[in-house]
Amino acid sequence: MTGGGPLTGPALTTGMGAGGDSPSQPAPASGAMVTPTTGVVTGTFWRRFTLRRPLAALIIQRLGLSVGLLFAVSLMIFGGVEALPGDFATTYLGQSATPQAVENIRKDLGLDKPLTERYLNWLGGAVKGDFGTSWASKNSVSEQIGKRLGNSLFLAFFAALISVPLAVALGMLAVQYRNRLPDKIINVISLAAISLPEFFVGYLLILFFAVQLGVATFPATVYDSMGFGERLSAIALPVATLVLVVLAHMMRMTRAAILNVMSSAYVETAELKGLSAFRIIAKHAAPNAVAPVINVIALNLAYLVVGVVVVEVVFVYPGMGQYMVDAVTVRDMPVVQACGLIFAAFYIFLNMAADILAILANPRLRHPR
Amino acid sequence: MPDLLSVKNLKIEATSYPPGEPPKTVTLVENVSFDVQKGKVLGLIGESGAGKSTIGLSALAYGRGGAAITGGQVLLNGKDILTLGRDGVRTIRGCKVCYVAQSAAAAFNPAHKLGDQVIEAALRHKIMSRPEAEKRALYLFKVLGLPNPETFGDRYPHQVSGGQLQRAMTAMALCPNPELIVFDEPTTALDVTTQIDVLAAIKHAIEETHTAALYITHDLAVVAQISDDIMVLRHGKTVEYGTTKQIIEAPNQDYTRALVSVRQTKREEARDQSNTLLNIEHVSAGYANGFKVLHDVSMHLPKGQTLAIVGESGSGKSTLARVITGLLPPQEGKITFDGKELPRALSGRTKDELRRVQMIYQMADTAMNPRQTVRDIIGRPISFYYGLHGAKKTERVRQLLDQIEMGDRFLDRYPAELSGGQKQRVAIARALAAKPELILCDEPTSALDPLVAEGILNLLMKLQEETAVSYVFITHDIAIVRAIADSVAVMHRGKLVRFGPKSKVLSPPFDDYTDLLLKSVPEMELGWLEKVLTTRRMESAGN
């Protein structure tokens, strides 16, 4: 219909941005989720509620789904750990594993009880926050995890604090200089960062900053006696590693989300109203780019919390990840199961939060017809 | 009177960046000049790719996509706005010149209230204070006939209808009291009965506010109602430029004459009502969410004839096509084909039953696999239904290409290398390849330019004569119905309003809806809009 129409496409998606320009992100305003609310409403209570308060209904639905998912994951973790080859008793006893000794230990640990009973006991305890006692150290798992989780979150928090604003800022910068030199530089570097696995990045950083330059501390072990400043300097390298790993993905998705919005007809309308570039971005583009950006951020935060496993091992950092890896090597099932469940809970919670925020950011759902 | 807008020797070029190739520069508009006086309306008309929108946007010194104005002058009140620079043009846009986009649904920001968006430009350019702007918005909502003007501004774009959004967009353009408004196909996306309201509202608002306007459209009948002068464009160049009266009544150029006389061919309807091919009896259908779309619809179609189904969006005409094909099994009623009842669902039909009913879609683009050549696209049904391969299949494809008036040289082209009209022809050949007895045509010409569309219609008529195929032709365009139908079914909100031979359906006495529908179709006649509006006023006064 329009003379300039056919040119819009090729002019907007060109050259370097091949991977980042066409993400499979959901449209900010999905028509499928909107329910018509006019007319006489009949049916069950839930159906009526869905029509009258679509927003609340969707959020309740998400919460319910998350709880269900967590339950399913607990089943899978328990089953998966049960199905692992090798067992604690033989590993623990080593050379002195006579059949009688193995049998005794199995009895002590309650492994002779049926599977379903052990699962229900474990789940009942987990709901109350009691993950049992470690087979290897005989300590309370919950107590150990309390400390370790704090350390992991400390690490993840600082990584997020640096990477999220940096990613959004770099994404906006790339949009501002689209297809020009700064954009290309950002793209190439971020592509390189995505391509390197985190353990490799970690060792590279250790090599340069700890070994050759000697400005950073390694290993990044923290103790209860350390002050806040000391802790910060200890975690500098692992934080840098995590930032490098998640930054690229977030930045590319932010760039794609904003570009997508900037090429929309309403941004053109804003431009044709003679508004300033800042107002166009802040008032007209940003509110519509929020949902996809939140999704990416949440996904990466979840990755941060879960992905620390490898980084913690590389840097000998006493967090959840290392705790779990140590437990796996000695077949310390209660610890493995507890760590797995907590990681899963974080993942599910962050994704649910992202979903709910995206729903809240959708004007069609906030203001039904 | 001095000219408000004076465009001289405009040249617009675009640079595109095809992936993997060096950038290409294409000339979109060349050597176009025109003037618009205060309070006057100039219509820009042409088919897609003629450069009308590009020219319209040049009045705001704006190039869409990669387009850039590379030559000529755009004088607004005698001052060249092309030399104003980045910040300078901001004092023009949304202040002296405003823009009304084709798709208001996309042009409004979904995140903000309509009222705030309508008054934004006036506030940002410090033309008026917030209370003044709100007062003006309210006045404009009233002038444009929007429902509940007091609270209309508190609503979000998704909460109002398409026709209302288009009027709100006009209000947004009028709000800062601009000297010129560029209307870019403001009624193209609307149903005819809605279009006439919006058209009347725009005309009224222009008269009321003495604003000048550029009115861009591909529909000559529409532009004839609203503009003082008309410029006909083709391939970015001026074909003819004159007063509306001269262009409509005494066009100088062949191209303009073709535009004016388009679709004046009318076909005599076939009288023979025996030999029924398709019989739809008391069909009701709906979707899984319990929403019923079709209510007790019955109609029939004799062999070798055309049944046109007319109605606006949401009338259920495409749903009826889905029911006939079996994609959507009906909840009640039955469909008989050539004397035998068709299984309700697609999965229950035999290969031969499938072969006998084929379909042509509105968007040939999305109905074809972009990674297949014309040979594969047309060849697929040949090998599927007739098991032909190799040389025999190619021979049949050649035959079909010949039938749709396209030559061998298209055999190995991809859909992207074809024009819109050619794509639709290939889609027709694909349907013909199965040698069907019935082809369902779902708005096959509504995405095409008038002259191209006419070519497609003529082709369909020729094929009907040659192969005695029957058509169910779904359309919203009464002119097409007049041109090609034997019998007509008028649908409204899922119900059949009127059905019968064309001569009966399209002549009085009418029911209310058919009357409204027929009266809303713009005619290539000066003063048609006023005439319709006057009749309407008299009727409503009479009630």
Side-chain angles (χ1 to χ4, degrees):
Chain A
M1 293 292 151
T2 53
L7 291 159
T8 317
L12 286 167
T13 53
T14 55
M16 297 299 300
D21 274 312
S22 50
S24 59
Q25 45 165 304
S30 159
M33 292 199 289
V34 185
T35 349
T37 54
T38 42
V40 185
V41 176
T42 52
T44 61
F45 168 75
W46 176 246
R47 196 177 148 77
R48 263 177 295 158
F49 185 71
T50 315
L51 292 178
R52 209 169 297 149
R53 307 286 303 276
L55 195 60
L58 269 174
I59 291 175
I60 291 173
Q61 202 184 6
R62 288 295 186 283
L63 288 171
L65 274 176
S66 301
V67 172
L69 199 57
L70 200 56
F71 178 72
V73 165
S74 77
L75 257 178
M76 284 172 69
I77 289 175
F78 194 85
V81 168
E82 278 303 319
L84 279 181
D87 79 337
F88 174 72
T90 36
T91 320
Y92 181 71
L93 292 170
Q95 294 288 335
S96 58
T98 63
Q100 187 54 44
V102 169
E103 198 52 39
N104 284 343
I105 289 187
R106 289 180 63 86
K107 207 166 212 164
D108 279 352
L109 299 175
L111 288 175
D112 52 343
K113 288 178 191 158
L115 200 64
T116 42
E117 192 187 328
R118 279 190 285 135
Y119 171 69
L120 290 177
N121 281 342
W122 173 69
L123 190 68
V127 169
K128 283 180 267 171
D130 173 19
F131 290 103
T133 44
S134 158
W135 293 348
S137 66
K138 310 290 178 211
N139 288 332
S140 155
V141 176
S142 310
E143 211 170 279
Q144 279 291 314
I145 281 181
K147 257 186 260 168
R148 300 281 188 139
L149 187 62
N151 283 346
S152 277
L153 287 181
F154 186 69
L155 192 63
F157 172 77
F158 278 99
L161 196 68
I162 295 172
S163 61
V164 171
L166 198 62
V168 172
L170 280 177
M172 286 168 120
L173 200 71
V175 170
Q176 185 70 33
Y177 294 99
R178 182 160 44 91
N179 292 333
R180 285 192 271 164
L181 195 62
D183 181 30
K184 287 180 180 172
I185 292 174
I186 292 173
N187 259 315
V188 169
I189 293 179
S190 66
L191 207 60
I194 285 183
S195 315
L196 294 176
E198 54 258 64
F199 66 85
F200 186 68
V201 174
Y203 286 130
L204 272 187
L205 290 179
I206 293 171
L207 176 65
F208 282 110
F209 292 99
V211 179
Q212 293 192 344
L213 299 175
V215 290
T217 44
F218 177 81
T221 316
V222 291
Y223 310 98
D224 288 346
S225 55
M226 280 172 116
F228 186 68
E230 278 176 292
R231 274 171 189 260
L232 277 190
S233 86
I235 63 166
L237 282 189
V239 164
T241 310
L242 284 172
V243 166
L244 276 179
V245 170
V246 294
L247 182 70
H249 187 220
M250 275 197 278
M251 172 258 142
R252 290 176 76 88
M253 293 302 283
T254 306
R255 175 185 185 272
I258 296 179
L259 268 188
N260 193 22
V261 171
M262 289 301 279
S263 64
S264 63
Y266 51 82
V267 166
E268 185 185 87
T269 306
E271 206 168 331
L272 291 176
K273 277 179 179 174
L275 305 179
S276 65
F278 176 76
R279 191 176 165 87
I280 291 173
I281 291 176
K283 181 102 186 175
H284 287 275
N288 295 294
V290 161
V293 171
I294 286 180
N295 260 322
V296 182
I297 290 178
L299 210 64
N300 279 286
L301 288 185
Y303 179 80
L304 265 184
V305 175
V306 179
V308 288
V309 175
V310 176
V311 174
E312 282 177 2
V313 173
V314 168
F315 287 95
V316 203
Y317 183 82
M320 285 281 284
Q322 198 165 41
Y323 189 43
M324 186 174 178
V325 172
D326 289 347
V328 168
T329 48
V330 297
R331 305 284 186 278
D332 193 348
M333 297 317 169
V335 177
V336 177
Q337 285 164 345
C339 289
L341 194 64
I342 286 172
F343 281 142
F346 261 100
Y347 213 89
I348 292 171
F349 170 77
L350 282 166
N351 275 294
M352 178 192 72
D355 252 14
I356 290 177
L357 283 174
I359 289 170
L360 287 175
N362 185 342
R364 285 166 192 270
L365 295 172
R366 245 183 310 138
H367 309 280
R369 276 167 184 272
Chain B
M1 201 196 293
D3 295 326
L4 171 71
L5 177 75
S6 179
V7 171
K8 291 189 173 131
N9 303 321
L10 193 65
K11 181 171 186 180
I12 301 175
E13 290 177 315
T15 313
S16 61
Y17 302 86
E21 285 172 49
K24 270 195 292 196
T25 303
V26 206
T27 306
L28 298 178
V29 173
E30 205 170 10
N31 202 15
V32 167
S33 306
F34 58 85
D35 308 304
V36 182
Q37 269 120 38
K38 217 169 170 331
K40 296 280 183 193
V41 180
L42 170 68
L44 297 178
I45 182 155
E47 51 197 43
S48 54
K52 349 181 256 299
S53 295
T54 315
I55 294 171
L57 286 168
S58 72
L60 294 109
Y62 183 81
R64 187 179 273 161
I69 303 166
T70 50
Q73 289 178 307
V74 179
L75 304 175
L76 188 74
N77 290 320
K79 226 173 104 187
D80 191 355
I81 61 169
L82 299 181
T83 60
L84 287 175
R86 227 181 144 81
D87 288 325
V89 290
R90 279 185 42 213
T91 61
I92 302 289
R93 293 178 187 165
C95 178
K96 298 208 166 74
V97 187
C98 289
Y99 180 74
V100 178
Q102 172 175 3
S103 168
F108 272 110
N109 193 327
H112 299 296
K113 288 179 185 173
L114 287 168
D116 291 338
Q117 299 191 56
V118 165
I119 62 173
E120 186 181 21
L123 293 186
R124 288 285 134 189
H125 291 292
K126 303 203 166 54
I127 297 167
M128 41 188 102
S129 67
R130 181 170 273 273
E132 281 170 353
E134 277 168 357
K135 217 175 110 194
R136 178 156 171 84
L138 176 61
Y139 162 75
L140 289 169
F141 291 157
K142 279 181 187 157
V143 169
L144 288 159
L146 285 164
N148 307 320
E150 286 81 10
T151 55
F152 185 79
D154 294 332
R155 314 185 76 179
Y156 283 83
H158 66 271
Q159 294 173 317
V160 306
S161 73
Q164 289 168 6
L165 268 186
Q166 206 67 52
R167 277 179 270 178
M169 184 100 204
T170 307
M172 185 156 85
L174 283 164
C175 188
N177 263 322
E179 295 171 39
L180 178 75
I181 299 183
V182 179
F183 290 96
D184 193 353
E185 308 238 19
T187 62
T188 305
L190 304 176
D191 281 320
V192 271
T193 51
T194 320
Q195 162 171 293
I196 187 168
D197 291 333
V198 174
L199 214 54
I202 289 176
K203 192 174 168 102
H204 179 59
I206 290 176
E207 280 165 4
E208 198 73 357
T209 53
H210 307 292
T211 312
L214 284 180
Y215 197 97
I216 296 161
T217 177
H218 67 273
D219 192 338
L220 197 51
V222 165
V223 84
Q225 309 311 320
I226 212 156
S227 56
D228 301 290
D229 295 311
I230 291 179
M231 176 179 247
V232 183
L233 293 156
R234 195 181 196 195
H235 306 317
K237 297 193 179 88
T238 311
V239 174
E240 195 166 353
Y241 179 30
T243 62
T244 302
K245 195 174 162 61
Q246 180 252 309
I247 297 276
I248 300 291
E249 290 173 0
N252 288 324
Q253 301 293 320
D254 287 344
Y255 180 69
T256 317
R257 267 195 286 274
L259 278 183
V260 173
S261 64
V262 78
R263 277 191 222 144
Q264 298 205 333
T265 47
K266 282 179 195 173
R267 190 170 87 150
E268 282 301 304
E269 70 187 39
R271 299 269 171 204
D272 185 14
Q273 288 289 316
S274 58
N275 240 337
T276 304
L277 177 71
L278 177 75
N279 199 3
I280 300 168
E281 291 168 74
H282 305 289
V283 161
S284 295
Y287 290 97
N289 56 10
F291 188 65
K292 214 167 174 184
V293 189
L294 289 176
H295 306 266
D296 193 17
V297 174
S298 301
M299 56 185 80
H300 56 87
L301 167 64
K303 275 182 188 161
Q305 297 191 12
T306 303
L307 164 65
I309 304 180
V310 265
E312 306 184 340
S313 52
S315 63
K317 49 193 197 307
S318 291
T319 305
L320 186 58
R322 287 172 60 87
V323 170
I324 297 173
T325 55
L327 286 170
L328 180 72
Q331 290 161 345
E332 285 159 45
K334 63 174 184 176
I335 294 165
T336 322
F337 189 79
D338 204 10
K340 242 179 79 193
E341 187 178 336
L342 276 181
R344 308 163 89 81
L346 195 64
S347 52
R349 297 189 183 176
T350 64
K351 204 166 174 179
D352 197 52
E353 281 168 336
L354 294 177
R355 177 191 64 80
R356 295 167 79 179
V357 181
Q358 295 291 316
M359 188 140 184
I360 304 171
Y361 299 88
Q362 176 173 3
M363 306 301 272
D365 259 333
T366 52
M368 281 192 258
N369 188 335
R371 295 191 185 278
Q372 286 187 343
T373 59
V374 168
R375 183 200 296 266
D376 297 333
I377 292 170
I378 303 179
R380 175 73 188 136
I382 298 175
S383 41
F384 181 73
Y385 290 118
Y386 294 100
L388 294 183
H389 292 283
K392 278 187 180 160
K393 180 164 128 183
T394 310
E395 185 46 42
R396 177 84 178 110
V397 174
R398 275 177 214 276
Q399 248 178 32
L400 286 161
L401 277 176
D402 204 43
Q403 265 186 310
I404 55 165
E405 296 156 10
M406 283 166 70
D408 286 2
R409 62 202 163 91
F410 290 99
L411 266 179
D412 293 304
R413 298 244 193 125
Y414 288 93
E417 298 169 303
L418 303 174
S419 73
Q422 287 167 343
K423 271 182 236 174
Q424 200 54 279
R425 278 168 194 260
V426 171
I428 292 171
R430 178 172 63 179
L432 279 179
K435 297 190 186 157
E437 282 148 67
L438 174 68
I439 299 182
L440 303 171
C441 312
D442 191 354
E443 306 243 13
T445 58
S446 59
L448 302 173
D449 291 312
L451 293 178
V452 180
E454 191 166 20
I456 296 284
L457 292 179
N458 289 337
L459 174 68
L460 286 172
M461 292 303 99
K462 188 195 88 176
L463 292 171
Q464 189 166 51
E465 272 165 35
E466 286 172 9
T467 63
V469 64
S470 306
Y471 296 125
V472 168
F473 200 101
I474 294 165
T475 181
H476 64 272
D477 189 337
I478 300 285
I480 292 180
V481 176
R482 286 212 175 91
I484 67 161
D486 296 302
S487 45
V488 180
V490 180
M491 293 194 57
H492 183 48
R493 295 190 185 158
K495 293 200 175 79
L496 186 68
V497 177
R498 208 172 161 86
F499 171 69
K502 174 169 69 176
S503 54
K504 273 215 182 106
V505 170
L506 297 185
S507 43
F510 293 119
D511 55 282
D512 289 350
Y513 178 71
T514 310
D515 189 45
L516 174 71
L517 194 66
L518 290 176
K519 277 191 185 154
S520 302
V521 181
E523 280 171 36
M524 203 85 76
E525 179 191 317
L526 297 181
W528 165 82
L529 183 62
E530 280 84 358
K531 211 165 69 190
V532 175
L533 293 178
T534 322
T535 339
R536 269 201 197 177
R537 264 195 295 275
M538 278 161 61
E539 275 168 12
S540 60
N543 292 340

